[in-house]
Amino acid sequence: MKNMKHWSRFTGATALAAALLAQPLCADEGMWLFNDPPRKQLREKYGFQPSEAWLEHVQKSSVRFNSGGSGSFVSEDGLVMSNHHVGADCLQKLGTEQHNYYRDGFYAKTLEEEKACPDLELNVLMSIEDVTDRVNAAVKPGTSGDEAFAARRAVMAQIEKESLDKTGFRSDVVTLYQGGKYHLYRYKKYTDVRLVWAPEMQIGFFGGDPDNFEYPRFCLDAAFFRAYENGKPAKVQHYLKWSKAGAAENELVFVSGHPGATSRLQTMADLTYKRDFSFPRLLSWLNRMEVTLNAWSGRSEENARRAKELLFSAQNSRKARDGGLAGLLDPKLMGKKQEAEEKLKSAVANDPKLAEARDAWKRIEEAQNKIKEVAVEYNALEVGRGFGSRYFEIARTILRAVEERPKAEGDRLREFRESARESLEFDLFSAEPLYDDYEQVKLATGLTYLCQELGYTNALVQKVLNGKSPRDRAAGLVAQTKVKDVNARKALYQSKPEELASINDPMIQLARLVDSEARRVRKIVEGQDELKRQAYAAIARAKFAMEGPSSYPDATFTLRLSYGAVKGYQENGKNVPHQTTFEGLYERAKEHNYRPPFDLPKRWLDRKDKLDLNTPYNFVATTDIIGGNSGSPVINKNAEVVGLIFDGNIHSLVLDFAYTDELARAVSVHSSSILEALRKVYDAPNIAEELTTGRRPASTL
């Protein structure tokens, strides 16, 4: 479904430039679109070419967790496989002081025992349509960034609304190649999703933070859910069958998942902004959150249970950004980026047919500098780092929903477009458990950060604090707000703007207090982003003209296909094997005298003699992944499950900016270990049978 008329071939100077620029993709590089897969690369290196039927089957077997992460259907009865850490949000919300499912695990032996996740939405990509021409036609030449953004937002909302009305599917216009193309993605939604099985957190994240992003690894980071329709298990046509053998060394494997975001196509101006400004400030905020949550968790077991999922997220993000920043500080990596950019600039400068791209890099730098001027306020107010409480998020959503609803569809903020309404309301009216003491800690931390970032004497900060310290202000806001009650939320959400203005709710009032300034800086960022998008589109057209249209865009939390080989690597002169075993798990625990985070759940100690200790446990491959791929299935040429992505090694953290297979590896749970553990540790033969047969056993009725 490629639109080719913009990507015509050039000769003469362009052909020479293409020869000079020729930088073939590195080995198994690429997070590829399903409507533009790497057929040539697969055929030439591995002698395999996926058919259209194969691609459709894998696409419709793949699942996006709207809470962040990936998964896949693994039976005709709607069984979904993902990671323990992807399912942690559900495990946390289902847990109570009496039942800590996040820590202790969960197993439903029957359908009746499967527990509904409060607000988990799963998306399955049903179709892709190229709408580039229509989106670009809405932006008239010579318009300002603000006008162009408004025009593009309006046409995208119109396309999405038309698609929703026609198909009933969730419809999202996705920006690709930083604005080079626009595709309409249509998703089938599942909002009745139930937890089936998850292991203890300690075996799902064995080794804890010390082993995170390291290898060898020994984690059973897996969980199973079930999608329901009309109160019954969903009957799905496309699901992935289970491989009998699992992943083998040097085998070609594929990853079908939803990588969150990469920056490989960004200019040096954007990369240096990340290196010198945005990453350091983000790390400062993550460190603050991590310290706060660690301290609060240490006060009681119940505090630790409530904060565990967010604490893990903060620690994981902090370590990932540390690794990313290390890449940006690597002169070798940045030197290659600079060299490639200069070559492309030179080629564009010497070809009159590519004149539109000549000042693109300058335009991007100018726009990014203007974004930087408001970035502190934007992150504190609009992104919400200066608040941090779920109560504030709810209050702001209600306030803006009421204010945006009377506007024309194309004039609304993107998150309030009609095509996104069902998903927004599903999240807003979630029955997730919320705790005043926990929300108060997060809000006080956010308000302290707000003081740090904007300055204590800032006029808006003083209005926010209202004459109180961050802790006292947070305590009052949390104690008095009505948004903690779901029924109250629904009533507030349905009110008219003038009605909401008269409601005396302190959290709504706080959201209103900062909203005009948050909208102001958001408008600046969106307008400058539009100018960057136009410049990036010009660069993309130049690259397509010289290199051809078959390449992959940066990740956008949309479905992508990666490929590679199951393969170890050499580090510091030592061979790192492609896989670990259960025997290695017990050896690793013994090395550390079974002290946390290298302790083992009791059942794993009790059942050791029942296990085949030679069972492959975790393995690595050269597949190209990034955050968001967690929970992605690893499949073979027959589209059979051979593993489950859960991490990358420490060397993979630079993949945000550039692919390498020298040391970087994707880390997965081996399919054989999942079956072995289900059968011999967890006494869950029903799930094992469903995986191997593709259908739910009658005994689970």
Side-chain angles (χ1 to χ4, degrees):
M1 288 185 279
K2 297 192 289 274
N3 186 335
M4 298 298 296
K5 72 178 183 178
H6 291 302
W7 323 128
S8 56
R9 292 187 176 182
F10 290 82
T11 57
T14 303
L16 175 60
L20 292 171
L21 269 170
Q23 293 187 16
L25 295 174
C26 297
D28 299 326
E29 178 180 355
M31 301 172 185
W32 297 86
L33 301 173
F34 267 75
N35 55 333
D36 191 9
R39 290 187 173 90
K40 181 175 182 289
Q41 292 88 333
L42 286 169
R43 183 176 62 251
E44 291 180 352
K45 183 172 182 180
Y46 292 104
F48 175 73
Q49 183 164 315
S51 66
E52 289 298 327
W54 189 95
L55 290 164
E56 181 187 11
H57 175 65
V58 174
Q59 172 186 313
K60 293 181 179 178
S61 298
S62 302
V63 172
R64 182 174 71 177
F65 278 63
N66 217 29
S67 54
S70 302
S72 58
F73 284 120
V74 287
S75 91
E76 65 181 29
D77 293 301
L79 190 68
V80 174
M81 176 178 71
S82 190
N83 292 143
H84 179 280
H85 79 263
V86 171
D89 182 64
C90 173
L91 288 164
Q92 187 90 352
K93 291 172 180 176
L94 289 175
T96 64
E97 191 169 358
Q98 292 74 36
H99 299 287
N100 191 335
Y101 298 125
Y102 186 101
R103 181 192 64 199
D104 301 331
F106 175 83
Y107 172 39
K109 295 182 179 179
T110 66
L111 291 180
E112 287 72 22
E113 293 176 354
E114 295 178 359
K115 289 186 174 292
C117 297
D119 51 11
L120 178 56
E121 177 183 312
L122 303 182
N123 299 150
V124 178
L125 180 60
M126 303 304 291
S127 67
I128 305 170
E129 180 183 343
D130 191 331
V131 293
T132 306
D133 287 349
R134 184 174 174 187
V135 172
N136 285 338
V139 180
K140 305 304 179 185
T143 55
S144 69
D146 289 344
E147 292 170 333
F149 174 80
R152 200 181 300 276
R153 179 179 63 186
V155 72
M156 289 166 68
Q158 183 180 359
I159 292 169
E160 291 164 339
K161 180 64 165 60
E162 291 171 358
S163 175
L164 175 66
D165 292 343
K166 180 180 179 180
T167 67
F169 290 141
R170 170 175 176 158
S171 301
D172 298 337
V173 174
V174 177
T175 303
L176 301 168
Y177 302 98
Q178 276 80 12
K181 290 186 179 182
Y182 295 87
H183 287 177
L184 173 63
Y185 280 44
R186 297 186 179 95
Y187 297 97
K188 180 178 176 63
K189 293 191 305 183
Y190 294 91
T191 53
D192 185 354
V193 183
R194 307 184 192 182
L195 178 64
V196 177
W197 174 86
E200 304 90 340
M201 189 266 189
Q202 185 48 35
I203 198 68
F205 191 46
F206 178 81
D209 192 51
D211 270 9
N212 195 18
F213 294 115
E214 302 291 345
Y215 191 78
R217 292 293 292 279
F218 305 92
C219 296
L220 190 68
D221 195 350
F224 292 98
F225 301 80
R226 195 180 305 280
Y228 278 70
E229 287 188 291
N230 302 317
K232 297 180 180 180
K235 283 291 183 181
V236 296
Q237 178 183 355
H238 295 280
Y239 67 91
L240 301 175
K241 296 182 179 180
W242 207 263
S243 166
K244 293 181 180 179
E249 188 172 13
N250 296 318
E251 180 180 12
L252 169 65
V253 293
F254 299 86
V255 174
S256 178
H258 301 80
T262 53
S263 307
R264 297 180 189 174
L265 300 181
Q266 290 189 347
T267 65
M268 287 298 295
D270 272 348
L271 293 177
T272 53
Y273 172 77
K274 281 183 166 65
R275 181 193 66 197
D276 300 337
F277 186 83
S278 67
F279 269 33
R281 298 194 89 88
L282 175 57
L283 280 166
S284 173
W285 178 72
L286 288 170
N287 284 324
R288 178 184 291 273
M289 288 298 299
E290 185 177 351
V291 169
T292 298
L293 294 172
N294 258 322
W296 194 73
S297 297
R299 297 186 63 188
S300 73
E301 185 67 27
E302 177 59 9
N303 283 7
R305 184 191 70 80
R306 295 177 184 179
K308 190 67 176 178
E309 197 268 335
L310 182 58
L311 175 58
F312 170 82
S313 178
Q315 290 173 326
N316 194 61
S317 297
R318 180 258 307 156
K319 198 164 187 179
R321 295 302 172 268
D322 269 337
L325 182 58
L328 291 171
L329 293 170
D330 181 353
K332 183 178 178 182
L333 184 150
M334 293 294 274
K336 288 182 177 179
K337 287 284 185 182
Q338 182 72 59
E339 181 182 2
E341 183 169 301
E342 292 304 321
K343 284 185 177 180
L344 183 55
K345 283 182 178 179
S346 178
V348 166
N350 291 324
D351 192 330
K353 297 184 180 68
L354 305 178
E356 67 159 344
R358 287 177 184 168
D359 66 342
W361 289 268
K362 181 181 178 182
R363 285 187 279 151
I364 290 169
E365 184 173 9
E366 290 174 347
Q368 190 58 62
N369 286 337
K370 290 182 179 178
I371 290 174
K372 185 178 179 180
E373 292 174 3
V374 298
V376 171
E377 293 90 342
Y378 178 79
N379 287 317
L381 301 175
E382 179 62 24
V383 175
R385 293 179 193 168
F387 302 96
S389 167
R390 175 65 175 151
Y391 291 157
F392 179 82
E393 293 174 7
I394 291 169
R396 166 180 276 178
T397 300
I398 291 170
L399 174 70
R400 288 186 169 178
V402 170
E403 292 183 350
E404 296 295 306
R405 192 180 299 126
K407 298 179 182 178
E409 172 78 358
D411 294 335
R412 298 175 189 167
L413 298 176
R414 280 282 290 162
E415 60 268 33
F416 297 100
R417 64 196 189 278
E418 185 62 25
S419 61
R421 180 177 58 81
E422 286 186 4
S423 294
L424 182 144
E425 292 176 354
F426 182 62
D427 177 71
L428 180 63
F429 303 139
S430 165
E432 64 175 303
L434 296 170
Y435 307 97
D436 281 6
D437 55 350
Y438 183 38
E439 295 303 315
Q440 183 178 325
V441 166
K442 292 188 294 180
L443 182 55
T445 302
L447 293 177
T448 302
Y449 181 80
L450 185 74
C451 295
Q452 173 189 310
E453 290 295 279
L454 301 190
Y456 180 73
T457 59
N458 177 276
L460 182 58
V461 169
Q462 286 299 303
K463 290 179 182 178
V464 167
L465 293 177
N466 196 29
K468 298 180 175 65
S469 70
R471 287 186 180 182
D472 288 344
R473 179 64 164 143
L477 288 163
V478 168
Q480 298 171 35
T481 184
K482 301 178 183 66
V483 302
K484 63 186 74 175
D485 179 74
V486 175
N487 290 327
R489 281 180 229 164
K490 291 179 179 179
L492 291 167
Y493 178 77
Q494 293 299 333
S495 62
K496 296 178 180 179
E498 60 273 18
E499 294 171 339
L500 190 64
S502 65
I503 290 174
N504 186 28
D505 184 282
M507 202 67 76
I508 296 282
Q509 291 173 340
L510 175 64
R512 189 186 300 280
L513 177 65
V514 301
D515 200 50
S516 60
E517 183 63 12
R519 283 177 180 262
R520 183 188 73 82
V521 294
R522 172 172 173 162
K523 184 177 181 181
I524 292 171
V525 170
E526 288 177 338
Q528 296 305 314
D529 272 341
E530 171 61 30
L531 296 178
K532 288 175 60 178
R533 189 178 295 115
Q534 293 176 22
Y536 270 116
I539 293 173
R541 285 191 286 271
K543 286 176 66 68
F544 291 158
M546 292 182 288
E547 302 170 7
S550 185
S551 63
Y552 68 94
D554 270 326
T556 53
F557 196 44
T558 51
L559 188 63
R560 302 295 179 88
L561 184 70
S562 300
Y563 67 91
V566 177
K567 188 165 64 173
Y569 53 100
Q570 277 200 336
E571 185 175 16
N572 299 325
K574 296 181 180 179
N575 290 323
V576 180
H578 74 283
Q579 69 179 29
T580 61
T581 63
F582 280 146
E583 184 175 18
L585 166 69
Y586 289 98
E587 290 175 353
R588 182 82 166 141
K590 186 177 179 180
E591 286 173 2
H592 291 271
N593 295 316
Y594 302 95
R595 289 194 298 264
F598 299 97
D599 52 323
L600 288 169
K602 184 176 183 300
R603 76 174 81 208
W604 280 82
L605 295 171
D606 294 343
R607 301 293 182 94
K608 179 181 178 181
D609 61 346
K610 296 181 180 295
L611 289 167
D612 178 355
L613 296 182
N614 292 318
T615 301
Y617 193 10
N618 295 165
F619 68 93
V620 289
T622 61
T623 45
D624 194 358
I625 67 160
I626 200 74
N629 271 119
S630 291
S632 301
V634 186
I635 59 175
N636 59 21
K637 292 188 291 186
N638 298 321
E640 297 170 332
V641 174
V642 299
L644 171 65
I645 290 287
F646 73 92
D647 207 353
N649 65 2
I650 196 72
H651 308 289
S652 73
L653 295 179
V654 300
L655 295 184
D656 188 356
F657 311 109
Y659 176 82
T660 172
D661 66 354
E662 182 180 356
L663 294 173
R665 292 292 185 273
V667 186
S668 302
V669 185
H670 198 283
S671 58
S672 298
S673 68
I674 295 174
L675 291 182
E676 184 79 355
L678 288 171
R679 288 167 173 156
K680 297 181 181 179
V681 179
Y682 293 97
D683 297 325
N686 289 334
I687 302 176
E689 182 179 343
E690 186 167 359
L691 294 175
T692 54
T693 65
R695 62 180 62 89
R696 179 173 48 84
S699 60
T700 61
L701 290 172

